[in-house]
Amino acid sequence: MPIVAIHGPDDFANIGHGHSAPPRSRVSPVEPERALPMPSLEWTPEVERATAHLYERVKKVIAPVEWPLMAPYVKAINEMKQTRDAVILAHNYQTPEIFHCVADIRGDSLQLAIEATKVKSGIIVQCGVHFMAETSKILNPHKTVLIPDSRAGCSLASSITAADVRLLRDRFPGVPVVAYVNTSAEVKAEVDICCTSSNAVQVVESLHAPTVIFLPDQYLAKYVASQTNVKIIAWKGACEVHERFTGNELRAYREADPSVQIIAHPECPPDVLAEADFTGSTAHMINWVRNNHPKRVVMITECSMADNVQAEMPDVEMVRPCNLCPHMKRITLPKILDSLVYLREEITIDPSIAEKARHSVERMINLKN
């Protein structure tokens, strides 16, 4: 069913509401007495031996000349995790040296949200963007949640505020609201339920409503609308990584090699999805490659995911017309080590907001197939 309406900040300007960036959860200052000594970062034979098995995982995507620069950080981070009783969560868009060499839990937003509820360690280091760290804190209110760089934001999350959600409710009274997890804690606190790209259709249909407000990604909303009979009211948000792909770009790849397989994330525009052989979340895309084992594949999503899949399946050739997420790339090995040494940057959320946001996230997690 086509989108029945799409709204954005400009639609509310004539009723006296300005649109500003969504408020961010606070980042607590570092307390010097909590810091630990910075470990040695020299490339030594000991470091080489200790990290050799990890380099085997990524040698297809990380050049040998680069590894001596990364390995001391990898070793130090893995040892510091033990000292701090910390666990590292890494999104699929993290670079291979993070994803394959220091992360304890890896996956897409839904996987990380679910696994965050099972974490036993006292400290969670979120290698992803800000809203992911907030989600981990929402689900683990009594744990310390760190993000190595609080500037790792999200163009999609910043496209909508809690005030916008309240205005949508005023305009469409009684219509349930679904928020993509790529939103701030304040927005999550205003909606009925969250979703990810992997369960968006299921979440929308679980509400048993004829019409649903779906925010903030307009392209994911259009994809959901194409998969259900529920009427969708969308928001004019978009991911700066996925919206840059074009259908013409994909047609050019197919014309150059008709045998190439193209798989795309549903945050891409409709003309991109129309050219794809498969559309799915990051986890579904990875599983598609594992199950189908294509000779050549184009993954229409963030660049590092292709590198991570290539490291796991070196015999699958990755054609890379990918776009980098500048926010994800703020997370680096040196910043992860700093985060563990100095316990920076700690996420704190107003308890009243966190409690309401937790309800919408847990409602998604507890949704039965």
Side-chain angles (χ1 to χ4, degrees):
M1 179 172 289
I3 296 284
V4 296
I6 184 166
H7 296 272
D10 293 343
D11 299 322
F12 298 136
N14 61 349
I15 54 176
H17 295 273
H19 186 84
S20 58
R24 301 289 292 273
S25 53
R26 297 186 301 277
V27 176
S28 299
V30 177
E31 297 176 18
E33 64 271 16
R34 300 171 72 193
L36 294 176
M38 178 65 70
S40 171
L41 296 171
E42 293 184 24
W43 169 247
T44 65
E46 179 190 358
V47 170
E48 184 175 13
R49 286 192 299 271
T51 61
H53 67 293
L54 296 172
Y55 184 60
E56 281 296 311
R57 299 179 184 175
V58 295
K59 65 182 181 181
K60 296 293 184 181
V61 292
I62 295 178
V65 70
E66 296 180 272
W67 187 244
L69 302 176
M70 299 176 179
Y73 284 98
V74 168
K75 181 176 182 292
I77 289 167
N78 286 328
E79 291 176 350
M80 190 64 67
K81 285 190 302 185
Q82 303 301 316
T83 302
R84 287 293 198 188
D85 182 30
V87 63
I88 293 179
L89 277 57
H91 189 265
N92 289 321
Y93 295 163
Q94 290 297 293
T95 51
E97 69 275 11
I98 295 173
F99 189 83
H100 287 291
C101 299
V102 301
D104 300 292
I105 299 171
R106 311 164 186 86
D108 65 3
S109 296
L110 179 59
Q111 289 170 307
L112 295 182
I114 292 172
E115 293 302 323
T117 66
K118 304 175 185 177
V119 168
K120 303 299 183 185
S121 301
I123 296 174
I124 297 173
V125 181
Q126 187 80 43
C127 293
V129 292
H130 194 270
F131 75 79
M132 296 178 184
E134 283 190 331
T135 303
S136 289
K137 183 62 178 179
I138 287 167
L139 295 171
N140 295 273
H142 304 300
K143 294 184 182 293
T144 298
V145 176
L146 306 174
I147 183 167
D149 190 330
S150 63
R151 298 173 299 167
C154 173
S155 60
L156 188 54
S158 65
S159 72
I160 191 165
T161 67
D164 293 326
V165 181
R166 291 191 290 270
L167 288 166
L168 283 168
R169 285 196 183 277
D170 288 343
R171 183 165 293 189
F172 302 101
V175 177
V177 183
V178 175
Y180 195 20
V181 291
N182 300 39
T183 47
S184 67
E186 288 81 5
V187 167
K188 289 181 174 71
E190 296 291 335
V191 306
D192 297 290
I193 188 171
C194 289
C195 77
T196 70
S197 56
S198 62
N199 66 10
V201 175
Q202 179 193 8
V203 167
V204 165
E205 293 185 341
S206 75
L207 297 172
H208 304 293
T211 304
V212 167
I213 298 170
F214 188 97
L215 52 89
D217 191 295
Q218 60 181 308
Y219 299 122
L220 181 57
K222 290 176 181 178
Y223 173 75
V224 170
S226 73
Q227 304 295 308
T228 182
N229 290 323
V230 179
K231 296 177 182 179
I232 302 294
I233 299 169
W235 183 258
K236 293 178 183 176
C239 167
E240 64 185 283
V241 171
H242 293 99
E243 71 175 340
R244 295 202 301 268
F245 292 107
T246 67
N248 288 336
E249 182 181 8
L250 271 60
R251 283 190 290 273
Y253 279 95
R254 202 181 293 281
E255 290 170 4
D257 180 5
S259 70
V260 73
Q261 299 290 293
I262 300 175
I263 60 178
H265 194 279
E267 287 180 20
C268 295
D271 66 321
V272 171
L273 302 187
E275 297 294 328
D277 297 296
F278 174 78
T279 298
S281 69
T282 56
H284 289 158
M285 292 170 76
I286 293 169
N287 287 334
W288 187 93
V289 176
R290 286 175 181 151
N291 294 334
N292 291 275
H293 223 83
K295 182 179 179 181
R296 302 184 76 225
V297 65
V298 184
M299 300 186 79
I300 305 301
T301 189
E302 212 275 347
C303 283
S304 289
M305 196 170 95
D307 289 336
N308 290 329
V309 174
Q310 181 82 84
E312 179 186 339
M313 290 172 275
D315 55 332
V316 175
E317 182 182 350
M318 295 288 170
V319 182
R320 290 179 170 84
C322 57
N323 295 321
L324 284 169
C325 174
H327 310 291
M328 286 282 184
K329 295 304 174 277
R330 288 188 180 275
I331 309 300
T332 63
L333 289 175
K335 289 178 181 176
I336 295 170
L337 181 58
D338 276 358
S339 186
L340 288 165
V341 168
Y342 300 108
L343 296 181
R344 67 163 67 120
E345 304 179 28
E346 184 176 355
I347 298 291
T348 58
I349 305 174
D350 182 286
S352 62
I353 291 173
E355 181 60 33
K356 290 189 288 185
R358 188 176 306 116
H359 175 76
S360 65
V361 176
E362 289 181 342
R363 186 178 179 187
M364 171 191 70
I365 292 174
N366 295 330
L367 191 65
K368 303 301 181 184
N369 291 324

